[in-house]
Amino acid sequence: MNYTLHQLQIFQKIAELKSITKASEELHLTQPAVSIQLKNFQEQFPIPLTEVVGRQLYVTEFGMEIARTASKILREVEAINYKTRAFQGELSGRLTISVASTGKYVMPYFLSGFLRKHPGVDLVMDVTNKSLVVESLERNAVDFALVSVLPEKLKVNTVRLMPNSLYYVAGSTMNLSVTTPKKVLFEKVPIISREAGSATRAAMEHFIAQRKYTVKKTMELTSNEAVKQAVLAGLGCSIMPIIGLRNELKSQKLKIIPVKGLPINTYWNLVWLQAKNLSPIAKAFVEYLEAEKEGIIAEHFEYLE
């Protein structure tokens, strides 16, 4: 057998995504190139690795065994690369962060300078809702989590980064203004919310419940971007973090309707388990944030002041 690391990488990705097309997109290769490499890889085994039923590609049981082995080999190769850099005096390895959905507008700015300074560090960032972020932290599956509401049942260390403010937001086509009765904003206008498990949804529901508004019609969407697009289209209004609305507010496609009790103000916090032994990379990242966060906020988030 004479297969290459490149073929192992391609087959592992095909097995993961169950699609040659998706594998080619993720690996930034053409579909014919991936198909040829799969064919060349298959020719080295007497047992089929994949099969096509209808138009769907399936990985055989033998193929899944090969894919699992390929993953182990690729991880070991990655470890060799990290160790080589470490012996050259470079900080190297993997930094893993789970980020609450709206945090995708925040975290990249706190990472970019660190990653430029340490090119040997690979980033894995998962963007999901708060419940899954806390779950990954609890399972010790990540180095850090970015949340706007601190997990109640976990003992964590924290670096406070910056404010997270939620406002009542409407599309420019909605006939709403400062004088619109507040009960109308919640009881007559459709309210668009995030899915269950989202910190933004929890904050909105708490606000509405405190004021005893009876919401007549709601729409549930699974990301802040989807909520924003729905509000832009005039499907309803929402209570949303201002951090993801900069361009739409500037162009006046969205407008903030003043409501007593809003904004809801929290903070974005980078957290990690108190019991966790941070890797050298993770320690270096915490030190970087402590030293640079004020400058990053002033440079990139001045518009929130």
Side-chain angles (χ1 to χ4, degrees):
M1 290 187 180
N2 192 29
Y3 41 77
T4 65
L5 287 174
H6 186 53
Q7 289 173 340
L8 290 175
Q9 182 186 35
I10 288 174
F11 181 69
Q12 188 275 330
K13 190 58 65 178
I14 291 171
E16 176 189 337
L17 299 175
K18 307 295 190 296
S19 167
I20 290 174
T21 300
K22 291 178 181 178
S24 65
E25 290 172 355
E26 190 152 325
L27 294 169
H28 305 290
L29 297 170
T30 65
Q31 188 171 332
V34 170
S35 297
I36 290 169
Q37 290 299 327
L38 175 61
K39 179 177 179 292
N40 293 340
F41 190 58
Q42 173 64 80
E43 287 176 351
Q44 300 180 70
F45 299 95
I47 303 171
L49 300 169
T50 62
E51 58 185 2
V52 177
V53 179
R55 300 185 67 180
Q56 178 66 46
L57 181 141
Y58 294 89
V59 181
T60 65
E61 184 178 351
F62 176 69
M64 290 307 300
E65 285 293 329
I66 297 300
R68 282 189 282 270
T69 302
S71 295
K72 292 177 184 177
I73 293 169
L74 293 169
R75 283 197 297 271
E76 290 300 320
V77 171
E78 188 177 68
I80 290 171
N81 292 334
Y82 290 148
K83 289 173 183 176
T84 301
R85 290 173 183 151
F87 271 90
Q88 291 174 323
E90 295 180 28
L91 191 65
S92 63
R94 180 173 290 181
L95 183 68
T96 57
I97 305 175
S98 187
V99 176
S101 182
T102 313
K104 68 185 178 185
Y105 300 110
V106 175
M107 201 68 237
Y109 293 98
F110 291 93
L111 283 161
S112 58
F114 179 77
L115 294 176
R116 282 196 300 270
K117 185 178 180 182
H118 303 290
V121 174
D122 292 330
L123 172 68
V124 178
M125 188 170 79
D126 179 40
V127 180
T128 184
N129 69 32
K130 184 212 169 190
S131 295
L132 295 177
V133 168
V134 173
E135 180 184 314
S136 65
L137 187 69
E138 189 172 17
R139 291 189 290 105
N140 196 29
V142 293
D143 296 315
F144 301 107
L146 182 72
V147 293
S148 58
V149 178
L150 294 174
E152 296 178 0
K153 298 180 181 179
L154 297 179
K155 293 181 179 180
V156 296
N157 293 318
T158 303
V159 175
R160 177 177 282 195
L161 296 182
M162 57 178 286
N164 180 43
S165 301
L166 281 65
Y167 290 81
Y168 188 99
V169 179
S172 59
T173 58
M174 300 286 286
N175 187 24
L176 301 172
S177 68
V178 176
T179 59
T180 303
K182 300 309 175 264
K183 289 193 75 171
V184 170
L185 294 177
F186 291 95
E187 298 188 359
K188 301 296 183 183
V189 177
I191 297 297
I192 303 170
S193 75
R194 287 285 309 280
E195 78 286 3
S198 159
T200 299
R201 172 168 169 163
M204 182 171 74
E205 289 180 339
H206 180 69
F207 176 83
I208 291 171
Q210 274 190 323
R211 284 147 186 82
K212 298 181 179 178
Y213 294 134
T214 303
V215 177
K216 301 295 185 184
K217 187 175 182 181
T218 61
M219 185 183 306
E220 180 179 303
L221 300 175
T222 57
S223 74
N224 279 293
E225 190 63 30
V227 172
K228 180 171 72 175
Q229 293 302 321
V231 175
L232 281 167
L235 294 178
C237 297
S238 188
I239 294 176
M240 300 183 65
I242 192 175
I243 197 165
L245 309 177
R246 177 183 186 179
N247 293 333
E248 290 77 15
L249 291 171
K250 188 175 180 180
S251 64
Q252 298 185 338
K253 292 179 180 179
L254 291 178
K255 56 187 176 182
I256 292 173
I257 308 297
V259 174
K260 185 178 180 180
L262 295 179
I264 300 169
N265 292 310
T266 59
Y267 275 84
W268 285 110
N269 298 279
L270 191 79
V271 302
W272 64 98
L273 296 175
Q274 286 184 2
K276 186 175 183 65
N277 292 319
L278 293 181
S279 69
I281 292 171
K283 288 179 181 176
F285 185 52
V286 171
E287 291 170 2
Y288 170 82
L289 288 180
E290 295 284 15
E292 304 292 339
K293 64 178 183 177
E294 296 301 330
I296 294 169
I297 293 167
E299 180 180 355
H300 297 290
F301 301 103
E302 191 177 41
Y303 68 96
L304 296 177
E305 297 299 328

